[in-house]
Amino acid sequence: MSDTPQQAGIELGLHASIVSVHRNEPHVVCVTAPDDPKGRDSLPFGIFTPLAHRTLEIGLRNWVEEQTGLSLGYVEQLYTFGDRGRHAREGDRGPHMVSIGYLALTLQTDIAKKHVRQRRWYDFFPWEDWRHGRPQIIETLIEPLLLEWCEQTLDSTAREHPLGRTERIRFLFGLNGSIWDEEKVLDRYELLYEAGLLEEAAIDGRTAAKAWDVLPELGRPMNHDHRRILATAMSRMRGKLKYRPLVFELLPPIFTLYELQKVVEAISGSPLHKQNFRRLVEGGGFVEATGEMKKSTGGRPAKLFTFRRAALVERPSPNRHVSAPKST
Amino acid sequence: MSDTPQQAGIELGLHASIVSVHRNEPHVVCVTAPDDPKGRDSLPFGIFTPLAHRTLEIGLRNWVEEQTGLSLGYVEQLYTFGDRGRHAREGDRGPHMVSIGYLALTLQTDIAKKHVRQRRWYDFFPWEDWRHGRPQIIETLIEPLLLEWCEQTLDSTAREHPLGRTERIRFLFGLNGSIWDEEKVLDRYELLYEAGLLEEAAIDGRTAAKAWDVLPELGRPMNHDHRRILATAMSRMRGKLKYRPLVFELLPPIFTLYELQKVVEAISGSPLHKQNFRRLVEGGGFVEATGEMKKSTGGRPAKLFTFRRAALVERPSPNRHVSAPKST
DNA sequence: TACGGTAATGCTCAATGTGAGCATAAATAA
DNA sequence: TTATTTATGCTCACATTGAGCATTACCGTA
């Protein structure tokens, strides 16, 4: 591949957010470059080579298998990122990189590879875990920092977004009685990035001269724009969870309803009402009792269940109307 | 760009599905190559050039403006398609093409350019318009052809999909009491493509020797995989419509509720209950009465409304819980 | 064996949302 | 004036959802 500026070609990077849940914590598979002194995390990733890979997804699977030894099951494309300036590599000459992000779901597996490990979601996004109430960090750090940023740069380049900055902050972080929308993981990440509060932003040169030190409390950084891709994956999962039985990809074939609930809570980042959750799941026909019981629950034994594959067919998106309404 | 096989680079195509609604019909902007004898439709489209375009979206906007004269408002990325074999160009040497599809919404505009025109959605997808009941074509053509296909190729490469073929057909086309899911535009298109019933499939060589003639009743074909991109756009719009106020991008600033309803129906392809629709829209705080009336309705005059931009902030995704449930 | 701890499970209730249709109001055209 | 056409108001049944009470069944320990 030539480096001459006039022939700046394109490289398509394939990035995987491989998600699994163990001990009630959602994880993502990370790799670290052997020669990286800081050992910063990356998502498994490789360049799409049309000669070697018949489709993008096959390319992704191959790369992931090569780098992590994992053979992926459920895979879904997320988004294609092409901004220059973000995740610019050192020289910034050479081919331009466009990244396609993917979401992959897998059961927990022990990964027996060096430089490959699973990391907890909420290490990267501490403000996203509301399972035990609103995270402290929002009030103590995020809110004041964001509001400060608001005043500093008053509408210099403000008019990019339809909402005013303060409004946007309130809205996204559930301030002043605004409600928390768990799906907006990406939007919140982008807001923090824009505000220059994340290490990635500093690296990309967004933080300009205005160098407040980047705080380690604002989550573990990743290489390039990988944390953004993970945020996209989380947003997608939290959204899709509500109308598609995604979770079953993350569970062993047999499980109790409580285990199921804990996985859903882990992903969505918010606590659920136990009785109502069972009602929903059982009533929706997603699961089928095996007849067996699990004894080691700590209390009364729990029925064991299996996922009903048939539910995939029966579940349409909500709000269906079969016959046309008659009224004029 | 070299043609030598070992250096098969990648070209990123940017494709726009530009949607507008006039006279209760959803349209998409199409271009025809001046030298194409058949005058087949394409979506406005161009190659991403990192040197010229700072972001993918900017690239898209530039290309669209150049080709159609339109300056786009709302734009949203859809999906990135990379299959080889589909939309293979003549020689099939040369750089591999990966297509990024975009959805753009615009008010109706008269386009004063040669080789650019707006075409009706349902000319491309006749089976998707259920506004006046189930389209004939499903029973008379699609169902029998698909079932025939089912028997012909009984599980040769069948196990790609989790559902059996017959099940899949029933499910997607609402056969035998299955309900019609309006959002599955892409899935239905893909099924017809797989079955070799579409002209695009014949061109890509999917129809093998099994040459039943491709039927013009199965919708107007487009170049390459453009009809697939349009199907993706339709799916996305129909889905998003339900939880985001997309329609307002397609309406003039002032409108009656009935006009609004007709646009929603045009997009979703299904009839709505008038009174309930108003209840939803008014109750949801999406609109605001201007105080003016429209007289030329054909009956009683109708109140005129405006879109309330504030609704963007107030509307979270449904199913929100603010406080953690107390029950153990 | 009785007892307290811990979950699992069953059930009720109120509030809200949704599909469907009746009835009335206010224009226009015959 | 009357028929026609649309806009708009309102009701009702039913499904869905959030929340909490009550009961059951296992454990370990006194």
Side-chain angles (χ1 to χ4, degrees), chain A residues 195-268:
Chain A
L197 298 174
L198 304 179
E199 212 168 307
E200 287 93 332
I203 290 171
D204 295 351
R206 292 268 322 191
T207 314
K210 190 94 263 116
W212 29 33
D213 285 8
V214 172
L215 297 160
E217 290 91 336
L218 289 180
R220 170 185 279 268
M222 293 179 96
N223 276 318
H224 310 313
D225 59 348
H226 292 195
R227 190 148 54 138
R228 179 164 56 155
I229 295 174
L230 177 57
T232 313
M234 291 171 62
S235 290
R236 178 71 65 87
M237 282 191 75
R238 287 182 169 184
K240 209 156 182 177
L241 211 53
K242 290 182 191 126
Y243 61 97
R244 237 359 76 101
L246 271 191
V247 248
F248 299 100
E249 308 285 344
L250 301 169
L251 279 165
I254 310 271
F255 48 83
T256 70
L257 292 187
Y258 192 60
E259 289 163 355
L260 175 59
Q261 180 183 343
K262 283 303 163 190
V263 172
V264 172
E265 289 178 340
I267 301 298
S268 74

Side-chain angles (χ1 to χ4, degrees), chain A residues 149-326:
Chain A
W149 167 66
C150 246
E151 290 168 13
Q152 303 263 329
T153 38
L154 255 184
D155 53 29
S156 54
T157 47
R159 276 304 126 200
E160 299 166 5
H161 265 274
L163 284 59
R165 265 190 188 163
T166 332
E167 262 184 314
R168 205 162 137 237
I169 293 170
R170 274 196 350 137
F171 173 53
L172 288 177
F173 282 93
L175 269 32
N176 304 349
S178 236
I179 48 185
W180 175 260
D181 185 344
E182 65 197 22
E183 291 181 35
K184 302 233 172 305
V185 184
L186 179 60
D187 307 67
R188 283 186 284 268
Y189 175 78
E190 295 282 23
L191 182 61
L192 292 169
Y193 179 96
E194 262 185 65
L197 298 174
L198 304 179
E199 212 168 307
E200 287 93 332
I203 290 171
D204 295 351
R206 292 268 322 191
T207 314
K210 190 94 263 116
W212 29 33
D213 285 8
V214 172
L215 297 160
E217 290 91 336
L218 289 180
R220 170 185 279 268
M222 293 179 96
N223 276 318
H224 310 313
D225 59 348
H226 292 195
R227 190 148 54 138
R228 179 164 56 155
I229 295 174
L230 177 57
T232 313
M234 291 171 62
S235 290
R236 178 71 65 87
M237 282 191 75
R238 287 182 169 184
K240 209 156 182 177
L241 211 53
K242 290 182 191 126
Y243 61 97
R244 237 359 76 101
L246 271 191
V247 248
F248 299 100
E249 308 285 344
L250 301 169
L251 279 165
I254 310 271
F255 48 83
T256 70
L257 292 187
Y258 192 60
E259 289 163 355
L260 175 59
Q261 180 183 343
K262 283 303 163 190
V263 172
V264 172
E265 289 178 340
I267 301 298
S268 74
S270 52
L272 295 171
H273 184 283
K274 188 145 105 184
Q275 296 92 316
N276 292 346
F277 180 78
R278 332 177 93 249
R279 180 176 60 188
L280 184 75
V281 171
E282 287 191 279
F286 293 110
V287 297
E288 193 166 30
T290 64
E292 313 282 290
M293 300 292 267
K294 171 163 182 171
K295 315 279 283 190
S296 53
T297 59
R300 174 174 171 176
K303 283 195 203 145
L304 286 167
F305 289 85
T306 293
F307 175 49
R308 282 188 65 230
R309 293 241 155 247
L312 286 173
V313 196
E314 296 161 6
R315 220 91 305 257
S317 335
N319 293 37
R320 219 93 318 289
H321 18 219
V322 188
S323 60
K326 289 293 173 301

Side-chain angles (χ1 to χ4, degrees), chain B residues 258 274-275 278-279 297-303 326-327:
Chain B
Y258 193 60
K274 188 145 105 184
Q275 296 93 317
R278 330 177 97 248
R279 179 176 60 188
T297 60
R300 172 175 170 176
K303 283 194 201 142
K326 288 293 173 302
S327 177

Side-chain angles (χ1 to χ4, degrees), chain B residues 257-272:
Chain B
L257 293 187
Y258 193 60
E259 288 163 355
L260 174 59
Q261 180 182 345
K262 283 305 163 190
V263 172
V264 172
E265 289 179 339
I267 301 298
S268 73
S270 53
L272 296 171

Side-chain angles (χ1 to χ4, degrees), chain B residues 188-231:
Chain B
R188 283 186 283 270
Y189 176 78
E190 295 281 23
L191 183 61
L192 293 169
Y193 179 95
E194 264 184 64
L197 297 175
L198 304 179
E199 212 168 306
E200 286 93 333
I203 289 169
D204 296 351
R206 292 268 323 193
T207 314
K210 188 95 265 118
W212 30 32
D213 285 8
V214 172
L215 297 159
E217 290 91 337
L218 289 179
R220 170 185 279 268
M222 291 179 96
N223 275 319
H224 310 313
D225 59 349
H226 292 194
R227 190 149 54 139
R228 178 164 56 153
I229 295 173
L230 177 57

